[in-house]
Amino acid sequence: MSRVPSSTYRVQVRESFDLDATRALLDYLDDLGVGWVYLSPILEAHPGSDHGYDVVDPTRVDPARGGPDALARLSAEAHRRGMGVLVDVVPNHVGVESPATNGWWWDVLKHGRDSRFGRFFDIDWSAGGGKVLLPVVGDDDQPDAGGPIGHLHLVDGMLGYHDHRFPICPGTADDTDDPQAVHERQHYRLVSWRAADDDMDYRRFFAVNTLAGVRVEDRDVFEASHVEIARWFRERLVDGLRVDHPDGLRHPAAYLDDLADLTGGAWVVVEKILEPGEDLPPRWATAGTTGYEVLATIDRVLVDPAGESALGALDERLRGGVPPWPELVRTNKRHVADTILHAEVRRIARELAAELELVPDRTWRAQVDEVLVELLAAFPVYRSYLPTGREHLHQAADLVRTDRPDLAEALDQVLPLLEDRVRLPSLRFQQTSGMIMAKGVEDRAFYRWSRLTSLNEVGADPSEFSLTADAFHDAMSRRQAVAPEAMTTLSTHDTKRGEDVRARISVLAEDPAGWAETMDALLDAAPAPDPGFANLLWQAAVGAWPIERDRLHGYAEKAMREAGDRTTWTEPDASYEKAVHALVDAAYDAPAVAGLVEDAAARLAGPGWSNALAAKLLSLTVPGVPDVYQGSELWEQSLVDPDNRRPVDFARRRRLLAEAGPVRPDGPSDDGRAKLHVVRTALRLRRDRPDLFVRYDPVGATGAAAGHVLAFDRGGAVTVVTRLPVGLQRAGGWRDTRLDLPPGRWRDLLTDRPASPEVAALLGDLPVALLVREDA
């Protein structure tokens, strides 16, 4: 088995599909051509967790997911087949929703600073008066000044609040049975859930109060939290790791060095989002990212630049004006820094005051608070890794100086400390900027920008509308030179829309006038409380159509609350939400609306099918290690999580794989066989003939439709895909278009026929081809 996988296949391991169920899937994955099975987090998670990112005990494999014996069985079977095992790990935080399930957190709450696990967590003890603040108290139970908390009680030697249970410090309940008195004596304080925004005194994962950050930069914490991971590599159960959210760590580079030592230099990829033009720090001990930047590149080379202006004008009209994307991003990041993550800003300010050895007055605190908010809002990437990335801090500071000259004095005071990589405020600023970016952009701005929503994807910049073939080739040539062993992907558990939803939506760029007509008709048939949001919602509907009603309702609720301009998770506007849900129901109950949605989906289906096959073959054959998200070997028409974590019908996939072979599909009406055939053919070739994927050379084309074909040679395997299929049809098809194939006789593995350089013949049945030399 190779140290680097030929490909990976992501499986969401959960109680209902545990490690033994995953082991039973290995024969199918092997037949599909998968190199390594890729497991979602498998350490013990909060009871009932489907995603596994809320680990409560990092020292053992989750019994609910099968436990250590099931992992050993899976590993043995994978290795017997020559397959590897990749596991997703979460070093940044642990789950604390139910304190009793997390021994470390329970001990900290019970013993406070004296807990042997006290330094495991990133707690600002002074900010809470020596207590951990737990924001769980509901509005109806809020005490008046000095009054009791409602529904507080003693139960089984614990302090209870409704269904919550908390430990009691030894000796603090011996002389009283008053729960309020007991509460006052604890090392924690129950506070309003609303206090989290400003007063939270422990670092979280983003704004999730139930995920507490751990100080993995401390060697004792690293060893304690990685003892089970170390066993996996010591016993050769696991072959590689995917590291979740490295941007939350204090010292990502040092962590990756420690991980390399622990794993013996295993293949490791990081879930790092790179902004356009940004590279990973060169000294990181990793093969590269999980591939979001490749996803963005592939999506954009399949988008028609001619549609940018018209789709932009439509969104402007529907929204009554749309700010430039950078302005929208900055506004939303500022909001996040001022609200749900303001506690993190205030903590940086406290550390700045300590470094400056001053007792801040209200004016100083207010000015420094504003400076930090503005710097975080203007920061152009997720985070810096000083000294790498100092220019990003300078860029943000220059913007603040220009736009807020009233903050110049405070900026000059704090900037030297934020630039000094060993100072606490600098370290915490770097840990915080990524949170602000993620919440402001991915979970807010993306839902307020509806020009072409296939571009509103994690790791992508929606203002970058399209990419030329030459720019695509440049990007892939550079990837071959810089990160040939990094992961590539099209769909993940974090993508906002499944790969085939995006492929279909992207067709709108080839027919913007048709979409404008459809939107106007939909708004006439089903008036929307916010036409701009309706644009986003209807794009999702036609992209995923046919989609079950409850799934579209779930998407509508999440999308409008994430947008946050008319309703939110914490303060929902019932009237607005009712009107939006009425739009969803109209797609199923109102014949005029249903007809418009169905007609639009039908128009997009054919070219969307072409885009989907093109994107899939590109993702499987460009430089890097291709990942197939569970189930996406057939049509992947999921929307944002939790929709994309639905159970997968593997029985159907087994049946279709057993029947798979060279196909002559009936275009978009096929049941996924064409995509399955593309996936199997490409994965098998990458696994069986890695020598054909060792370089990257563009393959040119001539003729009337040369701009509609994209091709490249990986060193003996040539990928050919169709671009902009609507424009191709309008132009009269391929006509005299020819590929400049390298010398030799070539065969298309997808049709199992000799390959002609005449594109009309080569792509007569499928919009894609995968060529190898006849003698290969």
Side-chain angles (χ1 to χ4, degrees):
M1 184 189 69
S2 171
R3 186 191 70 83
V4 177
S6 61
S7 65
T8 61
Y9 188 101
R10 168 79 174 210
V11 179
Q12 295 294 119
V13 182
R14 62 190 87 187
E15 187 170 3
S16 60
F17 198 92
D18 63 10
L19 290 164
D20 280 321
T22 306
R23 174 174 54 89
L25 194 64
L26 291 178
D27 63 325
Y28 164 75
L29 299 183
D30 194 9
D31 192 23
L32 188 62
V34 171
W36 290 14
V37 62
Y38 167 18
L39 310 177
S40 62
I42 59 173
L43 294 172
E44 184 173 357
H46 184 269
S49 170
D50 261 0
H51 53 75
Y53 288 96
D54 46 0
V55 172
V56 296
D57 185 353
T59 68
R60 65 174 185 166
V61 176
D62 195 344
R65 287 168 164 76
D69 291 344
L71 175 62
R73 290 189 290 269
L74 181 149
S75 176
E77 176 61 13
H79 290 161
R80 185 186 71 81
R81 292 178 171 276
M83 300 173 72
V85 178
L86 175 70
V87 179
D88 195 346
V89 295
V90 190
N92 177 70
H93 55 266
V94 293
V96 297
E97 180 176 351
S98 299
T101 65
N102 187 319
W104 296 355
W105 189 244
W106 185 265
D107 199 77
V108 169
L109 297 184
K110 187 173 186 178
H111 299 290
R113 288 182 175 180
D114 294 332
S115 166
R116 62 195 180 107
F117 301 110
R119 76 173 192 272
F120 279 39
F121 295 93
D122 194 354
I123 301 169
D124 185 352
W125 291 99
S126 62
K131 297 174 183 280
V132 179
L133 303 184
L134 302 177
V136 298
V137 180
D139 290 342
D140 292 341
D141 296 324
Q142 289 299 311
D144 297 326
I149 298 172
H151 293 94
L152 201 63
H153 56 282
L154 298 175
V155 55
D156 298 329
M158 295 176 286
L159 186 66
Y161 171 69
H162 290 284
D163 293 336
H164 295 280
R165 297 293 181 268
F166 305 98
I168 293 176
C169 181
T172 59
D174 295 347
D175 60 347
T176 181
D177 58 2
D178 178 6
Q180 309 291 337
V182 172
H183 172 242
E184 290 300 317
R185 298 172 179 178
Q186 301 314 306
H187 296 288
Y188 55 86
R189 180 156 56 94
L190 307 187
V191 297
S192 167
W193 66 273
R194 297 180 185 273
D197 289 1
D198 290 313
D199 301 328
M200 182 66 77
D201 59 356
Y202 62 87
R203 180 171 59 85
R204 303 161 288 172
F205 172 72
F206 298 169
V208 184
N209 300 335
T210 56
L211 297 176
V214 292
R215 298 182 60 251
V216 76
E217 67 273 10
D218 183 308
R219 185 67 196 183
D220 289 342
V221 180
F222 175 85
E223 291 182 357
S225 60
H226 286 65
V227 62
E228 174 65 6
I229 297 171
R231 183 184 73 86
W232 297 345
F233 286 90
R234 189 171 60 250
E235 298 181 12
R236 299 184 179 180
L237 298 170
V238 169
D239 304 287
L241 299 174
R242 179 261 196 192
V243 177
D244 182 68
H245 190 48
D247 277 353
L249 307 182
R250 175 145 287 189
H251 300 296
Y255 172 77
L256 291 171
D257 287 341
D258 290 341
L259 204 61
D261 290 342
L262 180 144
T263 64
W267 188 70
V268 169
V269 290
V270 292
E271 186 220 14
K272 165 63 187 170
I273 294 172
L274 299 171
E275 289 297 293
E278 185 186 9
D279 293 319
L280 273 183
R283 70 167 296 266
W284 279 19
T286 175
T289 73
T290 51
Y292 285 118
E293 69 278 7
V294 183
L295 178 157
T297 302
I298 290 172
D299 280 352
R300 278 155 180 76
V301 81
L302 301 176
V303 169
D304 188 349
E308 180 174 8
S309 177
L311 290 176
L314 173 64
D315 204 36
E316 284 269 348
R317 171 165 65 86
L318 296 178
R319 290 188 177 274
V322 179
W325 176 250
E327 181 182 329
L328 182 66
V329 165
R330 194 172 172 189
T331 297
N332 282 283
K333 289 175 66 179
R334 182 184 293 113
H335 175 85
V336 167
D338 256 337
T339 55
I340 61 173
L341 288 173
H342 194 224
E344 305 297 331
V345 174
R346 296 183 66 194
R347 188 168 181 182
I348 300 170
R350 290 194 296 271
E351 292 181 343
L352 284 166
E355 289 282 354
L356 292 167
E357 298 182 343
L358 56 82
V359 178
D361 59 21
R362 182 174 298 178
T363 301
W364 186 93
R365 284 197 299 265
Q367 283 227 315
V368 168
D369 187 291
E370 282 196 74
V371 166
L372 291 170
V373 167
E374 292 296 336
L375 283 172
L376 289 163
F379 209 75
V381 296
Y382 275 70
R383 68 164 283 176
S384 57
Y385 312 92
L386 294 176
T388 302
R390 182 174 279 115
E391 69 276 10
H392 301 310
L393 183 58
H394 290 168
Q395 181 180 339
D398 288 345
L399 283 172
V400 176
R401 287 186 200 282
T402 300
D403 297 344
R404 292 294 306 273
D406 57 308
L407 298 177
E409 183 177 347
L411 178 62
D412 289 340
Q413 186 180 31
V414 304
L415 190 59
L417 294 174
L418 298 179
E419 288 185 89
D420 189 337
R421 62 177 179 164
V422 301
R423 300 293 188 102
L424 293 180
S426 172
L427 293 166
R428 190 164 303 283
F429 184 93
Q430 292 178 86
Q431 287 179 279
T432 303
S433 63
M435 303 184 205
I436 305 292
M437 177 74 90
K439 295 303 295 181
V441 178
E442 298 171 31
D443 295 343
R444 197 171 170 89
F446 274 177
Y447 294 96
R448 297 186 180 193
W449 181 274
S450 311
R451 182 172 66 178
L452 185 66
T453 58
S454 57
L455 306 180
N456 298 13
E457 198 46 82
V458 178
D461 181 343
S463 67
E464 290 200 348
F465 192 81
S466 63
L467 200 66
T468 66
D470 286 344
F472 177 88
H473 289 314
D474 289 345
M476 292 303 109
S477 295
R478 188 169 189 276
R479 184 172 177 82
Q480 175 64 31
V482 174
E485 296 178 350
M487 184 180 278
T488 65
T489 191
L490 273 188
S491 297
T492 76
H493 61 285
D494 279 332
T495 43
K496 303 300 184 184
R497 295 159 189 81
E499 59 200 52
D500 300 323
V501 176
R502 300 198 311 275
R504 190 185 284 183
I505 292 172
S506 288
V507 178
L508 297 179
E510 295 199 71
D511 185 21
W515 181 243
E517 284 184 22
T518 297
M519 275 303 305
D520 288 340
L522 283 167
L523 291 170
D524 284 342
D530 181 344
F533 181 80
N535 191 13
L536 180 139
L537 177 64
W538 290 128
Q539 286 185 45
V542 299
W545 201 262
I547 180 174
E548 297 85 351
R549 185 192 300 246
D550 63 322
R551 290 176 54 207
L552 194 55
H553 272 300
Y555 175 77
E557 178 181 83
K558 181 165 186 173
M560 62 180 151
R561 291 182 177 180
E562 295 282 56
D565 49 355
R566 300 288 295 271
T567 187
T568 68
W569 291 106
T570 55
E571 296 186 7
D573 182 324
S575 176
Y576 175 78
E577 294 195 358
K578 181 179 179 181
V580 170
H581 285 299
L583 295 181
V584 173
D585 284 329
Y588 302 90
D589 300 334
V593 177
L596 288 166
V597 172
E598 290 168 1
D599 287 349
R603 289 198 310 272
L604 299 177
W609 173 80
S610 176
N611 280 350
L613 294 182
K616 197 62 178 180
L617 186 58
L618 289 174
S619 75
L620 296 174
T621 57
V622 296
V625 175
D627 175 55
V628 177
Y629 184 69
Q630 61 170 26
S632 67
E633 62 271 33
L634 295 185
W635 303 124
E636 168 49 32
Q637 292 180 288
S638 299
L639 297 173
V640 70
D641 72 292
D643 193 60
N644 56 20
R645 294 199 302 268
R646 303 189 322 281
V648 175
D649 185 351
F650 284 113
R652 176 168 174 255
R653 284 160 175 77
R654 284 181 181 276
R655 185 180 71 254
L656 290 176
L657 187 65
E659 301 168 358
V663 290
R664 310 286 189 271
D666 184 22
S669 65
D670 86 62
D671 55 6
R673 292 168 197 262
K675 188 178 183 188
L676 181 65
H677 180 54
V678 167
V679 171
R680 182 182 71 163
T681 302
L683 290 183
R684 286 183 173 186
L685 186 64
R686 293 211 65 155
R687 180 188 63 189
D688 300 340
R689 294 298 308 274
D691 56 302
L692 301 181
F693 295 87
V694 295
R695 65 175 194 265
Y696 186 93
D697 297 315
V699 172
T702 58
H708 290 278
V709 64
L710 181 71
F712 51 83
D713 179 6
R714 291 299 320 281
V718 173
T719 292
V720 185
V721 305
T722 301
R723 295 180 66 225
L724 315 183
V726 174
L728 175 65
Q729 184 178 22
R730 287 173 180 161
W734 294 113
R735 291 173 287 165
D736 62 344
T737 306
R738 290 176 56 91
L739 286 174
D740 301 326
L741 287 175
R745 293 186 303 114
W746 295 85
R747 173 169 288 272
D748 178 15
L749 296 181
L750 297 178
T751 59
D752 195 28
R753 292 197 305 233
S756 167
E758 302 290 340
V759 179
L762 180 64
L763 302 184
D765 293 317
L766 287 171
V768 298
L770 181 59
L771 315 182
V772 297
R773 285 188 174 86
E774 287 278 16
D775 59 359

